[in-house]
Every structure is written in C-alpha cells, then in structure tokens.
C-alpha cells in the first residue's frame, strides 16, 4: 500500500465477518471432540445434547420458563419462515423493514403468502420505523438488529403488553449481544453463527404462550411442508421443544453451539456478552469521532448496533462520486485490508449503501478492533491516492 506508513500492530485475529462470525477466543477443533458423531440424534446421547442446547439457551438468554425453545432446520431463515407460515393470516399484519433481511420477510408476506391485509412500513438504510405508527393489534414482523444497515431497535417500550397481535422478531444478530424484552416478543428467532460464532446450520425458534395459543386455535389456509409443521392432530408437537428435532440435525454443529454456550456461561453470561459487544462498538465509535472522513450509517446513537457496525466514507470528495464510484472506492479499501490480512469480509452487504461493515459481536476481541482502526485509515489514504492517480 502507498500513502501513510503502515501501522506497526496487526489484529491477532482478522475475522470481522458478519456471519459466520469469529469463533470464541481460544476455540480449536478440539472443542468438538465430544460430538457423538455417527450416532443417531434420537439415541440418548444425541437427545441429551440437544436438550442441553435448549436448556443452556434458556439460561444464557434468560428466556422465561413458560416460553418454548426449539432447534429447527434452515438456520434463522428457516425459523422465521416457519413462524410466518404457521402463524400469519389469522389477522392483518404490519411488516416492518429497514434493510434487506426485513425486506425479504416483506416479500414472503406479500408475494409468497399473498396476505390480503399486509401493511408495509419501511425506513431507509440507517434508520428504523417509528414504532408509534405500528398497530400492535395486528401481527407485526420485524428484525431487531438490521445486520446490513447497522441499526437496532433500542428497546421494546413502544410494544404494548396488552397487544392483540403477535410480534414476530428476527433477532439473529441481536441475540446474545442485546437485551430482548421477551414479554413484548411472541416469536424470537436466531441462528448459531452470529454472536456466539457457532457453526451455521440450525435455527432457534422461541415461542411465547400466546404464539402457542395461536398455533392451537388457527389453521392457515395454505399447505405447510413437513419441515414447517409445529402441530399434529391439533396439538403442539412438544418433542420439538425438548430436542426431538423435525429432521436430522448436525451433531457437530450442536457440539459447537454447546461449546459456545459454555464459553458464554464461563465469562459471565448475557451481561458479559453484551459488555464485550458494547466495548467493541466503543472502540469503533472513538475512531469515528476522531476522523471526519468516516461516519456511522446509523445516524442516531440510540439505534446504533453493537454487532454489525456499518460505516460510510463521508469526505466531500468521496460523497461527491457516483454511487458506482463510491462502491468501487469502498470495495478498494476493503480489498486492501483483506490483502494485508488485517480484516477479512468487511465490505458492506451487496444491497446496502457503499461502505464497510465490521462485526463487533461478543466473540471479537476489543484489542483486535483497536489494532484494525489505524489500518482502516491507512487503507483509506492508499485508496485516495489510487483515485488521485486515476484522475
Ligand atoms: C437479520 C438477519 N436475518 C436473517 C438472516 C439469515 O440468516 P440465516 O443465514 O441464519 O438463515 C441474517 C443473516 O445474516 C440476518 O442478518
């Protein structure tokens, strides 16, 4: 790289991808040595591991005792769609979207389920919908933390306790890093490869008693594939919430999730996980504060994510470029950092505004982010020099 002198220190771990995210500190393949490979997941050893994963999820996240937790196929997408296909259609729905994953759930509701009374409330990248405009007597589907725009819902205060509709919340990049108000959420979903850095494969579906009530009293008009079915003969399939999965899980991934949960417990549980993510965000915030050429995509600090941190180049000479040129500039910076081996996979998501997206969840070490920041400045200067040469 040309431009400023290269920083002396490098991140010990350059993995800042927003999913799969960095493994927990100290992770090696040995963490998986107790996986019951080649055994049936329905044998005692398999069922015990799956039940343990559910129990540890409840402990670490503080999920209320009367909420059900199931391990389901299809990662977070599987869990969200299973909930949408099983629960929606009983009443009108408000679909909230502020980035591409929320937009995907809108497509599901409008174009796939073709719900007749779906109201779509959208906010641009960097903002969220004003919850005062949402009608919680309708069902409401939303994403807690917008992974591709770096925003999060600050709290559940605007969600009424006595709502008539169900709240279906995709919390995949929020769970284990942010507070989730379970009393305000009827469905919470996430996958393992995000804040805990587990192996990707399975989704987790958390259901409130009201969501279960809906399952028992309402039958959707559309057919449900076996992989989505949570009831049988009008009864809840309770086994799903005890570790009897609908189809075959990867016991290797289950072992890895158990290891991640064990690490979470060993460092102090949810509070410690949140504190790590907050500390990581603070490292980036200090850097942004000190440099006027870079800024958060989320303009307001109260909705700024502490996991998927999205940044934009804000200097007039960059903002003045066309969208394609800005995109090429940001990609150039990310690629320089990757070539140097100091940051892997930190380009903005393909549908998001040009910039960088740095994962700051609990498995990332603040010291690695400290080391990365000067490299971003260095790569930025080098990319500007490339621009000047081309002009
Ligand atoms: C907010 C959000 N929802 C859904 C998904 C899809 O998750 P999965 O790949 O686990 O299905 C992601 C993945 O990054 C996400 O960030």
């Amino acid at each position: 790289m040309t431009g400023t002198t290269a920083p002396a220190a490098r991140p010990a771990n350059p993995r800042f991808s927003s999913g799969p995210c960095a493994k927990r500190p100290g992770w090696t393949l040995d963490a998986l040595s107790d996986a019951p490979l080649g055994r049936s997941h329905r044998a005692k050893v398999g069922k015990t591991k799956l039940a343990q994963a559910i129990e540890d999820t409840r402990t670490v996240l503080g999920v209320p005792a009367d909420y059900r937790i199931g391990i389901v196929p299809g990662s977070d997408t599987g869990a969200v769609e299973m909930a949408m296909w099983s629960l929606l259609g009983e009443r009108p729905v408000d679909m909230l979207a502020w980035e591409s994953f929320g937009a995907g759930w809108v497509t599901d509701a409008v174009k796939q389920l073709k719900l007749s009374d779906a109201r779509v409330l959208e906010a641009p990248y960097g903002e969220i919908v004003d919850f005062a405009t949402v009608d919680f007597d309708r069902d409401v589907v939303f994403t807690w933390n917008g992974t591709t725009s770096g925003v999060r819902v600050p709290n559940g205060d605007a969600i009424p306790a006595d709502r008539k509709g169900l709240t279906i919340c995709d919390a995949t990049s929020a769970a284990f890093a942010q507070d989730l108000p379970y009393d305000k959420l009827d469905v919470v979903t996430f996958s393992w490869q995000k804040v805990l850095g587990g192996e990707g494969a399975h989704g987790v579906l958390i259901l409130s008693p009201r969501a279960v009530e809906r399952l028992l009293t309402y039958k959707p008009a559309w057919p449900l594939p076996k992989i989505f079915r949570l009831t049988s003969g009008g009864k809840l399939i309770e086994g799903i919430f005890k570790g009897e999965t609908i189809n075959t899980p990867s016991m290797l991934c289950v072992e890895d999730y158990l290891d991640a949960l064990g690490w979470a417990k060993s460092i102090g549980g949810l509070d410690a996980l949140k504190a790590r993510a907050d500390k990581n965000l603070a490292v980036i915030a200090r850097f942004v504060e000190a440099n006027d050429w870079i800024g958060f995509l989320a303009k307001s600090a109260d909705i700024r994510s502490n996991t998927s941190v999205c940044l934009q180049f804000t200097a007039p000479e960059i903002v003045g470029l066309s969208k394609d040129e800005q995109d090429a500039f940001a990609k150039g910076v990310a690629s320089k950092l990757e070539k140097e081996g100091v940051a892997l996979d930190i380009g903005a998501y393909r549908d998001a505004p040009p910039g960088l997206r740095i994962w700051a969840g609990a498995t990332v070490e603040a010291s690695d982010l400290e080391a990365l920041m000067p490299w971003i400045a260095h790569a930025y200067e080098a990319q500007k020099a490339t621009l000047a040469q081309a002009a």
Side-chain angles (χ1 to χ4, degrees):
M1 270 193 250
T2 53
T4 58
T5 325
R10 288 166 177 272
N13 184 356
R15 292 175 185 82
F16 301 104
S17 146
S18 288
C21 303
K23 307 300 273 182
R24 61 147 171 100
W27 184 94
T28 66
L29 273 172
D30 288 344
L32 308 181
S33 59
D34 197 37
L37 302 183
R39 294 293 314 275
S40 167
H41 59 294
R42 311 225 184 256
K44 191 163 176 245
V45 60
K47 277 214 287 219
T48 307
K49 294 268 186 192
L50 287 156
Q52 185 72 47
I54 290 173
E55 196 184 312
D56 288 357
T57 301
R58 191 182 300 282
T59 306
V60 176
L61 287 180
V63 176
D66 58 349
Y67 278 48
R68 287 175 174 81
I69 303 176
I71 296 169
V72 301
S75 206
D76 179 65
T77 309
V80 174
E81 293 190 333
M82 187 174 208
M84 290 181 68
W85 260 252
S86 299
L87 297 166
L88 293 184
E90 190 257 358
R91 64 181 54 230
V93 61
D94 275 3
M95 298 293 309
L96 318 189
W98 34 82
E99 45 80 79
S100 59
F101 286 105
W105 311 141
V106 171
T107 301
D108 273 356
V110 176
K111 297 216 172 113
Q112 296 294 324
L113 288 171
K114 299 188 169 50
L115 297 174
S116 55
D117 195 353
R119 190 167 69 130
V120 179
L121 304 177
E122 286 170 306
Y125 274 83
E127 295 171 33
I128 63 169
V129 163
D130 176 3
F131 271 52
T133 63
V134 179
D135 180 355
F136 288 97
D137 286 341
R138 302 158 70 94
D139 290 333
V140 181
V141 180
F142 66 104
T143 300
W144 194 274
N145 185 95
T147 319
T148 65
S149 70
V151 299
R152 63 164 142 182
V153 177
N155 56 58
D157 294 356
I159 305 174
D162 62 349
R163 64 195 173 277
K164 295 203 179 67
L166 296 178
T167 46
I168 299 178
C169 175
D170 169 4
T172 201
S173 50
F176 301 106
Q178 299 165 13
D179 280 319
L180 294 168
Y182 293 97
D183 57 332
K184 303 294 181 74
L185 303 174
D186 295 300
V187 176
V188 174
T189 68
F190 63 88
S191 42
W192 295 345
Q193 72 276 14
K194 295 283 187 184
V195 179
L196 291 187
E199 285 304 287
H202 304 298
V204 172
L205 176 70
I206 303 179
L207 299 177
S208 76
R210 293 183 61 242
V212 170
E213 180 64 22
R214 170 79 62 86
L215 287 173
L216 298 179
T217 53
Y218 163 70
K219 196 169 177 312
W222 43 80
L224 282 182
K226 175 178 173 180
I227 214 103
F228 279 5
R229 269 177 251 154
L230 294 164
T231 60
S232 168
K235 292 209 174 75
L236 189 71
I237 307 175
E238 291 284 4
I240 295 174
F241 307 98
K242 293 181 182 139
E244 293 159 24
T245 49
I246 298 172
N247 64 340
T248 314
S250 159
M251 295 312 294
L252 199 63
C253 294
V254 172
E255 194 66 24
D256 192 56
Y257 182 49
L258 284 170
D259 170 74
L261 288 163
W263 169 73
K265 287 197 281 188
S266 76
I267 64 165
L270 184 59
D271 284 344
L273 296 169
K274 284 188 301 184
R276 283 177 65 89
D278 288 347
K279 187 173 168 196
N280 287 343
L281 172 61
V283 171
I284 302 173
R286 277 197 296 277
F287 178 71
V288 168
E289 184 76 9
N291 292 283
D292 59 5
W293 48 267
I294 194 159
F296 288 103
L297 182 54
K299 294 286 171 283
S300 164
D302 64 324
I303 61 159
R304 207 165 279 156
S305 173
N306 62 352
T307 58
S308 57
V309 180
C310 295
L311 302 172
Q312 280 182 306
F313 298 109
T314 53
E317 68 256 48
I318 308 300
V319 176
L321 299 172
S322 71
K323 167 100 185 340
D324 282 353
E325 287 166 337
Q326 287 187 47
D327 195 44
F329 183 87
K331 285 200 172 97
V333 174
S335 130
K336 284 186 163 54
L337 294 166
E338 185 142 350
K339 276 201 201 105
E340 286 286 348
V342 290
L344 307 175
D345 313 319
I346 68 161
Y349 191 71
R350 57 180 185 268
D351 301 335
L356 302 177
R357 179 177 58 163
I358 305 172
W359 186 255
T363 55
V364 170
E365 298 279 23
S367 55
D368 287 338
L369 285 165
E370 293 279 10
L372 172 61
M373 294 302 114
W375 279 98
I376 292 181
H378 178 59
Y380 171 74
E381 288 304 331
Q383 190 62 23
K384 268 204 327 188
T386 316
L387 257 192
Q389 270 164 20

